[in-house]
C-alpha cells in the first residue's frame, strides 16, 4: 500500500526556511543600497542596516559645513551616504572596481601599493574632514599602510576626525597607528554574523557612539 501522506510537496525545516528568508532579505537590502555580492576573497562583509545608518548619521553630525568625507574600504556606509545625502561630498577608496561610479566619488585603491601613495593621491592631499576606515585585512601590515593613506588625505588644520571599524582584537594596531583613537561602546555588526567581534574607535569625543 502506498502511503499517500508522503505524496505532498517537500517541506523545508524551520531552520532552513529561516536561513532562506534571511538570505532573501540580505539580497533585497543589497539591491536597495546598490551593493554587489560580497567577495570573501577580498575580505568583504557588508554592515547591516542598523550599523550603516548609525555610522552615516555620525558622519552627518560631525562633518563641518561643506565638509568632505572619505571612506577607506568601507563601501556599505558610502553607498548609503550617496543615496541619503547626495549633497555631501563623499569619496570611496576601494580596491573593488565594481563600485566605480564613473564620477569623482570613487578612487581605486590598493593598500599594498604603498610605495606610490604620494604620487597616486597627490591631488587629494589633506582634503578630507572625516575618514571612516575599515581595513580590509586584520594584519599589522595592512593597518600600517592604510594609516599612510589616512595621514595623506586627512586635513591637518583643523585635524581630520577618524572613525575606525575593525576586529576588536586589533586594538594594539589601532593604538600604534592611530594613537589618539579610543574604543567606543558602539559595536559594528554585519549582515552575516562574523565569528570575530568588531569594535569601533574614534579620535574625538563622540556622545552618540558611546551609547548602546
Amino acid at each position: 500500500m502506498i502511503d499517500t501522506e508522503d505524496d505532498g510537496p517537500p517541506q523545508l525545516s524551520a531552520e532552513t526556511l529561516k536561513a532562506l528568508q534571511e538570505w532573501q532579505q540580505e539580497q533585497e537590502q543589497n539591491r536597495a543600497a546598490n551593493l554587489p555580492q560580497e567577495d570573501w576573497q577580498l575580505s568583504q562583509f557588508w554592515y547591516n542596516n542598523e550599523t550603516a545608518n548609525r555610522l552615516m548619521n555620525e558622519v552627518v553630525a560631525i562633518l563641518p559645513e561643506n565638509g568632505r568625507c572619505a571612506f577607506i574600504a568601507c563601501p556599505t556606509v558610502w553607498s548609503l551616504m550617496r543615496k541619503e545625502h547626495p549633497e555631501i561630498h563623499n569619496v570611496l577608496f576601494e580596491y573593488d572596481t565594481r563600485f566605480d561610479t564613473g564620477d569623482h566619488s570613487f578612487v581605486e585603491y590598493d593598500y599594498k601599493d604603498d610605495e606610490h601613495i604620494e604620487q597616486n593621491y597627490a591631488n587629494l592631499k589633506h582634503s578630507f574632514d572625516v575618514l571612516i576606515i575599515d581595513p580590509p585585512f586584520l594584519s599589522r601590515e595592512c593597518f600600517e599602510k592604510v594609516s599612510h593613506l589616512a595621514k595623506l588625505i586627512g586635513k591637518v588644520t583643523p585635524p581630520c576626525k577618524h572613525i575606525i571599524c575593525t576586529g576588536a582584537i586589533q586594538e594594539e594596531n589601532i593604538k600604534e597607528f592611530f594613537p589618539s583613537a579610543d574604543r567606543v561602546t558602539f559595536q559594528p555588526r554585519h549582515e552575516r554574523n562574523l565569528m570575530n567581534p568588531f569594535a569601533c574607535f574614534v579620535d574625538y569625543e563622540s556622545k552618540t557612539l558611546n551609547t548602546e
Side-chain angles (χ1 to χ4, degrees):
M1 181 180 294
I2 299 176
D3 188 353
T4 57
E5 292 182 357
D6 294 334
D7 291 343
Q11 299 294 316
L12 297 176
S13 68
E15 183 177 349
T16 302
L17 182 60
K18 180 181 178 182
L20 176 61
Q21 291 172 337
E22 289 177 349
W23 181 83
Q24 291 173 332
Q25 184 180 15
E26 288 173 5
Q27 300 311 302
E28 185 60 33
Q29 290 172 350
N30 287 346
R31 283 192 292 270
N34 295 318
L35 289 172
Q37 284 283 97
E38 296 167 332
D39 186 341
W40 291 2
Q41 297 299 318
L42 298 179
S43 188
Q44 290 178 338
F45 304 97
W46 305 151
Y47 296 139
N48 64 18
N49 282 345
E50 181 183 358
T51 292
N53 276 281
R54 186 85 173 266
L55 292 172
M56 177 188 70
N57 292 335
E58 179 72 6
V59 171
V60 173
I62 65 176
L63 201 64
E65 186 177 0
N66 299 320
R68 305 176 74 191
C69 181
F71 300 78
I72 301 178
C74 188
T76 319
V77 188
W78 170 79
S79 296
L80 185 62
M81 285 283 291
R82 278 174 54 84
K83 177 184 176 183
E84 300 294 333
H85 293 281
E87 76 282 1
I88 295 178
H89 190 141
N90 303 300
V91 177
L92 174 66
F93 289 77
E94 169 63 45
Y95 180 81
D96 189 348
T97 56
R98 292 181 297 171
F99 290 99
D100 191 346
T101 54
D103 57 24
H104 297 298
S105 64
F106 173 87
V107 176
E108 188 172 355
Y109 168 62
D110 182 356
Y111 82 89
K112 295 179 182 178
D113 189 21
D114 201 45
E115 294 181 4
H116 305 100
I117 188 172
E118 292 280 350
Q119 65 188 61
N120 288 348
Y121 310 114
N123 62 319
L124 294 172
K125 188 173 183 179
H126 304 323
S127 294
F128 296 96
D129 302 276
V130 177
L131 300 182
I132 293 190
I133 305 168
D134 189 344
F137 296 98
L138 303 181
S139 68
R140 185 184 182 281
E141 177 201 24
C142 182
F143 272 80
E144 181 178 18
K145 292 182 176 180
V146 167
S147 72
H148 290 171
L149 175 64
K151 291 175 182 176
L152 177 70
I153 65 175
K155 285 187 177 180
V156 176
T157 307
C160 175
K161 294 181 173 69
H162 299 85
I163 303 171
I164 307 157
C165 299
T166 186
I169 62 173
Q170 298 302 310
E171 189 159 359
E172 184 176 333
N173 284 327
I174 294 291
K175 286 300 183 183
E176 180 175 359
F177 298 114
F178 298 92
S180 299
D182 294 312
R183 184 171 177 173
V184 293
T185 56
F186 168 66
Q187 183 178 353
R189 299 187 185 279
H190 300 76
E191 289 182 353
R192 304 178 190 275
N193 292 322
L194 304 184
M195 295 297 294
N196 296 328
F198 258 58
C200 181
F201 304 80
V202 303
D203 57 1
Y204 61 93
E205 184 177 352
S206 173
K207 295 180 179 179
T208 57
L209 294 182
N210 265 314
T211 56
E212 293 296 338

